[in-house]
Amino acid sequence: MSFDERGEYQLVCFRRLDDEFDKVEKFYRAKVQEVMKEADLLNKQMDALIAFTIKVENPHEIFDRKVEMTRLASDIAASAAALSASTPSRARSSSRFLFSRLLN
């Protein structure tokens, strides 16, 4: 096999690898889109559940949106901090890298 034939063979091989990589990337981009849509839907459902819970807990009280939102924000921050503390740092950094790579 001559030098030119090997170069052509390598070029064909890398083109095929690139095509396969593009398929994998397209697949995972679609999966990320699905997850983002699902997360948006879950956020809307959670907002509705929170509003319903507040209404059930305080049926005759006037709803002070600012106070309730502040309380909810602190609860969310505490939950996020607890999740972050319980997640290994390698998992957090690798997932951030993967998601940033997929979204770019």
Side-chain angles (χ1 to χ4, degrees):
M1 183 180 283
S2 73
F3 182 74
D4 289 338
E5 288 174 342
R6 276 185 279 158
E8 266 186 58
Y9 178 75
Q10 287 178 345
L11 185 62
V12 169
C13 181
F14 281 114
R15 283 186 182 151
R16 286 184 181 165
L17 284 173
D18 192 43
D19 289 342
E20 292 301 314
F21 180 74
D22 287 343
K23 288 178 191 176
V24 170
E25 184 180 16
K26 184 178 177 182
F27 172 79
Y28 281 107
R29 280 188 187 272
K31 290 297 176 187
V32 167
Q33 291 286 338
E34 285 179 33
V35 169
M36 297 299 278
K37 287 178 184 176
E38 183 73 19
D40 187 44
L41 178 63
L42 290 172
N43 282 334
K44 289 177 183 176
Q45 290 175 351
M46 183 58 77
D47 290 343
L49 179 62
I50 290 168
F52 180 73
T53 303
I54 291 169
K55 186 151 182 105
V56 167
E57 289 176 353
N58 306 313
H60 301 294
E61 292 182 27
I62 297 175
F63 177 71
D64 186 352
R65 185 173 177 83
K66 185 176 181 181
V67 171
E68 289 300 324
M69 287 299 143
T70 302
R71 183 181 66 80
L72 290 172
S74 66
D75 290 348
I76 290 169
S79 175
L83 178 64
S84 180
S86 66
T87 304
S89 63
R90 283 186 20 210
R92 284 194 307 267
S93 64
S94 65
S95 65
R96 274 185 294 222
F97 171 76
L98 289 173
F99 280 117
S100 67
R101 174 93 167 110
L102 287 172
L103 293 175
N104 290 330

